[in-house]
Amino acid sequence: MTWALGTAVRLATQVYADGALVTPATVSLSIRLPDGTIAGPFTGADLISGGVGVYRYDYATVQAGRHVARWITTAPSGVDEEPFDVAPMWGEAGIVSLGAAKRQLKVSPADTSNDDEISTFIRATTEIVQRHAGSVLPSRSPPGCGAGGGTCCWTTGRSCPWPA
């Protein structure tokens, strides 16, 4: 899944021994960032326990690119890895911006209660379009696009649907 830069990514793991959830002696989380540096380790009070053997951490993203979260436990010994991607900015996370989608849905810009759900839908739609049409790139805007009204769009690398 792709997340927007600056959003919190919920990372989670479950620890099992002999088929049952167990509380390990230690649990830690480290995150390899796209530039090769490591965030963490996060341990103890940094992590939230959701019950026996269930842990989570909300990581606030600070870099765009591929991340790998690694959970390490002792007694029982174990490693769990979870990759995730972070887009450079909201506008690049999908075929339309979050603002444009909210305008189309008639959702107030101040209402952020459904932003994660709308953004997930935008990214899923973008993946389908890119699978069928190729990479999606920002296009030249038609006259009247933006604050003055009009319709803005994104196109594939093909020719723009209106005159330059």
Side-chain angles (χ1 to χ4, degrees), residues 9-103:
V9 176
R10 175 149 297 175
L11 303 168
T13 194
Q14 296 179 338
V15 182
Y16 288 89
D18 299 322
L21 287 168
V22 296
T23 301
T26 64
V27 60
S28 68
L29 169 67
S30 296
I31 303 164
R32 179 175 294 281
L33 305 179
D35 68 1
T37 60
I38 304 293
F42 305 104
T43 60
D46 297 328
L47 307 175
I48 299 168
S49 177
V52 174
V54 178
Y55 299 91
R56 73 177 190 267
Y57 181 79
D58 292 330
Y59 173 70
T61 59
V62 295
Q63 288 184 22
R66 180 68 138 187
H67 295 65
V68 178
R70 176 182 278 185
W71 296 88
I72 299 175
T73 63
T74 62
S77 295
V79 175
D80 185 18
E81 289 190 344
E82 178 181 1
F84 62 96
D85 294 306
V86 176
M89 54 194 233
W90 278 107
E92 294 183 32
I95 194 167
V96 297
S97 70
L98 177 62
K102 288 172 78 169
R103 281 190 300 279

